[in-house]
Amino acid sequence: MTVHFIGAGPGAADLLTFRAAALMAAAPVCLYAGTYITREMLAHCPADVELVDTAKVNLDEQVAIMKRATEEGRDVARLCSGDPSLYSAIAEQTRRLDAEGVEWDVTPGVPAYAAAAALVGKELTVPEVAQTVILTRAQRDSTKMPPEESLRELARTHATLVLHLAITFVRQLQEVLVPEYGEDCPVVVVSRAEQPEELILRGTLADIADQVEAHGLRQAAIIIVGWALDVEDFPESHLYRTRHR
């Protein structure tokens, strides 16, 4: 029996891979984060599924539930919001499952930043404007950031920045990023992408904090910063440039 870590995407029940939906439909046990996973998403599970909201149990309890289920001959669907490769905490879970001899695998999902970019119809890598995307997060009372990955250092690259778990620190982000990107640098905030409460804010580093605070955003939001979000004058990429035969 296997624990399947499944990328549940940004929230829409139809933004799953076929593999993810099939694994959910076949798993008698499903662990999910109630803060992010919708009821519509859980509808892919069997009618008699054992549902466990991980917001209500700690890591040791989660691993114990997964181990018990596999010992009983039942597969487990462990849903991760977005894609499991980003801020999903599967590293600490799989380390413990390995120690317990429990089999596991990973199914990718649509990352939240990709859903956000799609909703605003933007490419994050525009020729000669931005060819690098940095996926990072803010840090205050959460897990420490490596010293070489401070936001101030990352901002010096002028790459497109995608910030997770940072919406409550938007005022501080503004103070750090303005000196490098400028007040007019475009910013997009997407809250609860592809969910009924979806909210999209467009602005600049000068005004985005005011907008976020006015809407009272506290969680489940992606912040994208960079000139690739609002540029019209750029060369075409070499890949699609007209070629003479």
Side-chain angles (χ1 to χ4, degrees):
M1 296 293 102
T2 304
V3 174
H4 303 289
F5 290 93
I6 298 171
D14 60 349
L15 271 182
L16 284 174
T17 64
F18 287 115
R19 181 185 299 177
L23 288 172
M24 289 179 65
V29 180
C30 177
L31 282 73
Y32 69 100
T35 305
Y36 302 104
I37 304 300
T38 64
R39 292 181 179 178
E40 291 76 16
M41 180 71 65
L42 294 175
H44 289 286
C45 298
D48 59 349
V49 65
E50 177 186 346
L51 292 173
V52 179
D53 184 348
T54 56
K56 301 176 181 178
V57 291
N58 63 33
L59 181 59
D60 288 334
E61 292 169 327
Q62 293 177 42
V63 172
I65 292 168
M66 291 187 278
K67 181 183 179 184
R68 169 180 56 81
T70 57
E71 288 176 343
E72 294 171 349
R74 299 187 293 167
D75 283 336
V76 177
R78 174 60 170 101
L79 302 187
C80 308
S81 59
D83 180 78
S85 66
L86 291 174
Y87 307 116
S88 65
I90 68 167
E92 55 209 73
Q93 295 174 69
T94 56
R95 178 172 62 185
R96 295 183 183 219
L97 292 175
D98 285 342
E100 297 288 349
V102 177
E103 295 291 328
W104 56 270
D105 58 27
V106 180
T107 296
V110 177
Y113 80 89
L119 285 171
V120 296
K122 294 297 181 180
E123 181 181 356
L124 304 183
T125 53
V126 175
E128 297 186 19
V129 175
Q131 291 291 282
T132 301
V133 178
I134 297 177
L135 309 176
T136 189
R137 65 171 179 81
Q139 188 244 316
R140 179 178 283 178
D141 299 324
S142 56
T143 305
K144 291 182 178 179
M145 295 286 287
E148 300 83 2
E149 296 182 19
S150 73
L151 187 59
R152 196 174 303 277
E153 288 296 320
L154 298 178
R156 288 173 182 161
T157 66
H158 292 188
T160 303
L161 284 180
V162 178
L163 292 143
H164 298 72
L165 309 173
I167 197 64
T168 57
F169 310 129
V170 66
R171 186 70 64 182
Q172 294 90 323
L173 298 178
Q174 183 184 50
E175 295 173 359
V176 172
L177 298 179
V178 164
E180 292 297 334
Y181 288 86
E183 288 189 343
D184 295 335
C185 183
V187 182
V188 167
V189 172
V190 179
S191 173
R192 297 196 176 275
E194 298 288 350
Q195 298 185 34
E197 315 95 311
E198 175 186 288
L199 176 66
I200 300 173
L201 304 177
R202 295 175 174 86
T204 66
L205 283 174
D207 64 22
I208 198 64
D210 291 337
Q211 292 191 53
V212 167
E213 291 171 358
H215 284 85
L217 299 183
R218 302 293 300 172
Q219 62 183 13
I222 294 291
I223 304 171
I224 306 177
V225 180
W227 288 102
L229 293 172
D230 186 20
V231 62
E232 297 296 334
D233 185 15
F234 60 89
E236 294 181 348
S237 63
H238 178 76
L239 178 63
Y240 295 115
R241 194 171 298 160
T242 302
R243 296 181 177 86
H244 296 288
R245 296 184 181 274

